[in-house]
């Protein structure tokens, strides 16, 4: 297994100070928070969503001289196609391409990003 990225706390770092009110709260399973998932089921499907989104933005701006400002009402529909902003779509493209190729593993508070082992399911 080849390690690509390691995140460790700095040596000699003090543990975070926890407020007393937080310490008295019931403990919850300490699972790392889930990262947002903008990926699609396949790259062609994701590219189709991008084509629709960018087409709506470009088309709504291009139609302003013909249809007036009402043409800009099509631009928010692009946000639905992108599942957010164009940057969210780009992040989703990277996630879709890398799906099944990279694997995040966290052990004792240290997370690593490594190549996925064949035969393991990353979903």
């Amino acid at each position: 297994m080849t390690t690509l990225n390691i995140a460790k706390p700095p040596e000699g770092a003090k543990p975070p100070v926890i407020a007393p009110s937080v310490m008295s709260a019931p403990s919850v399973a300490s699972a790392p928070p889930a990262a947002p998932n903008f990926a699609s089921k396949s790259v062609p499907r994701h590219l189709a969503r991008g084509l629709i989104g960018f087409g709506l933005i470009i088309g709504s701006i291009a139609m302003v001289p013909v249809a007036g400002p009402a043409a800009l009402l099509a631009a928010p529909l692009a946000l639905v196609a992108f599942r957010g902003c164009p940057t969210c779509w780009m992040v989703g493209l990277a996630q879709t391409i890398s799906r099944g190729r990279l694997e995040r593993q966290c052990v004792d508070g240290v997370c690593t990003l490594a190549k996925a082992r064949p035969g393991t399911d990353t979903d």
Side-chain angles (χ1 to χ4, degrees):
M1 173 171 52
T2 305
T3 302
L4 302 174
N5 188 8
I6 298 176
K8 293 182 181 178
E11 289 185 33
K14 295 180 181 178
V17 177
I18 300 175
S21 62
V22 174
M23 290 176 59
S24 63
S27 63
V28 179
S30 61
N37 186 10
F38 297 105
S40 295
K41 293 186 186 276
S42 68
V43 173
R45 182 179 286 188
H46 197 83
L47 292 175
R49 282 189 22 244
L51 183 66
I52 292 168
F54 285 114
L56 283 168
I57 289 175
I58 293 168
S60 67
I61 292 171
M63 293 298 291
V64 167
V66 177
L72 295 175
L73 293 174
L77 295 176
L79 298 178
V80 174
F82 287 143
R83 291 186 187 165
C85 62
T87 304
C88 298
W89 180 81
M90 293 296 290
V91 168
L93 180 61
Q95 288 177 343
T96 303
I97 291 171
S98 70
R99 178 172 277 168
R101 295 188 179 128
L102 295 175
E103 180 177 80
R104 181 176 153 192
Q105 298 173 342
C106 295
V107 178
D108 296 329
V110 177
C111 295
T112 59
L113 186 63
K115 289 183 180 181
R117 290 169 282 168
T120 59
D121 188 16
T122 59
D123 288 332

